[in-house]
Amino acid sequence: MAPAPAVEYDGSSSCYKRVCVMDAGGTLGSALVHTLLQRGYFVHAAIHTQVEMKPVIGDSKNLRVFETDPLDYHSIVKALEGCYGLFYSFEPPTDQPCYDESMAEMEVRAAHNVLEACAQIDTIDKIVFTSSVTACIWRDPSDSTSSSPDVDERNWSDVNFCKKFKLWHGLSKTLAEKTAWALAMDRGLSMVSINAGLLLSPDLTITHPYLKGAAEMYEDGVFVTVDLKFLVDSHICVFEDVSVYGRYLCFNHVINCNEDAVKLAQILLPPDVSSLPPSMTVGESRLVPQRISNKKINKLLVDFDCNSYA
């Protein structure tokens, strides 16, 4: 199917463009819904079945809520009908307590269903696909084929390396994003990806699957986090800017010294500093060189007006 003709955001408060946010029940999704409504969009909020959506502050007359299952193609099509754009993110269902290799299969199936559904909707103009930094950073240190020790948007995590060390988050995000890119190119869909760092949300705990391998990320200079507002602004910016292309590493803080590591650990762990490793609480502060770049998204955000509300 040929892609729909480009429809540019005109910046006016009267332009009620219709977009779909999936999964709107999650931390990122609900924040995107709120901000998009403020910017004058008509929003289809797609939430997982039996998941309650967080309250929307302000006027919600431009909001429609759809119950969807990312593994149910037809429910996705229903939520997308009439939309010009899709903001897609995947958060595991609440009945999936473990993040293991089976989660990769689920994420790949979900990404496949969503991209296929977009290909059937004539009005879809752009897809913003939320992936992760973990889809970029995991590679075998002995691999001599790597052209640069630093990580940017050109890097992909090594699937076999992720399987070997049970880095299931990296495996899931890598395979799902590659599936999405392959389908987008095959179906002629316009897509960009946001490869986000660890989202610092109120419900973040030490059990988050992103944190598997945190010590190695720290030592390699690629342990990065992102604030919710920065992540939301980045998503909307890449949707509204017609010059965007490809992938965007998205983070606004690097954990590369003892002080930062301790602060993050205090957020993740119970309020007991003694539970932290001694090496993190005593001794000289050591600065690990940063080996990951967010220049591409930062350059794009320079001219983005985050206060352009309706």
Side-chain angles (χ1 to χ4, degrees), residues 140-214:
D140 190 335
S142 64
D143 183 5
S144 60
T145 62
S146 178
S147 59
S148 169
D150 294 338
V151 175
D152 61 19
E153 286 79 6
R154 294 168 293 182
N155 293 99
W156 286 94
S157 288
D158 185 311
V159 169
N160 291 326
F161 184 82
C162 290
K163 289 180 178 178
K164 180 179 179 180
F165 292 99
K166 298 182 179 181
L167 298 163
W168 305 130
H169 191 271
L171 178 67
S172 299
K173 298 304 179 184
T174 302
L175 292 176
E177 188 189 344
K178 283 191 171 185
T179 296
W181 277 115
L183 278 166
M185 288 186 282
D186 184 62
R187 303 294 191 269
L189 297 167
S190 174
M191 188 181 101
V192 292
S193 69
I194 293 287
N195 293 74
L198 177 66
L199 176 58
L200 296 180
S201 61
D203 56 352
L204 180 64
T205 68
I206 193 67
T207 61
H208 195 290
Y210 185 108
L211 292 165
K212 178 71 180 293

Side-chain angles (χ1 to χ4, degrees), residues 53-98:
M53 187 174 169
K54 297 176 183 179
V56 175
I57 301 172
D59 191 351
S60 60
K61 68 179 184 297
N62 294 324
L63 173 67
R64 288 187 64 192
V65 179
F66 294 80
E67 287 190 355
T68 60
D69 179 349
L71 303 182
D72 178 2
Y73 171 83
H74 297 290
S75 70
I76 298 168
V77 169
K78 186 176 180 181
L80 289 174
E81 286 178 347
C83 290
Y84 285 102
L86 168 67
F87 294 87
Y88 173 77
S89 62
F90 180 94
E91 295 191 20
T94 54
D95 60 354
Q96 288 285 127
C98 297

Side-chain angles (χ1 to χ4, degrees), residues 98-115:
C98 297
Y99 213 103
D100 54 21
E101 193 167 5
S102 65
M103 188 60 68
E105 297 175 8
M106 182 180 292
E107 287 209 39
V108 168
R109 285 175 58 198
H112 185 277
N113 283 342
V114 168
L115 269 292

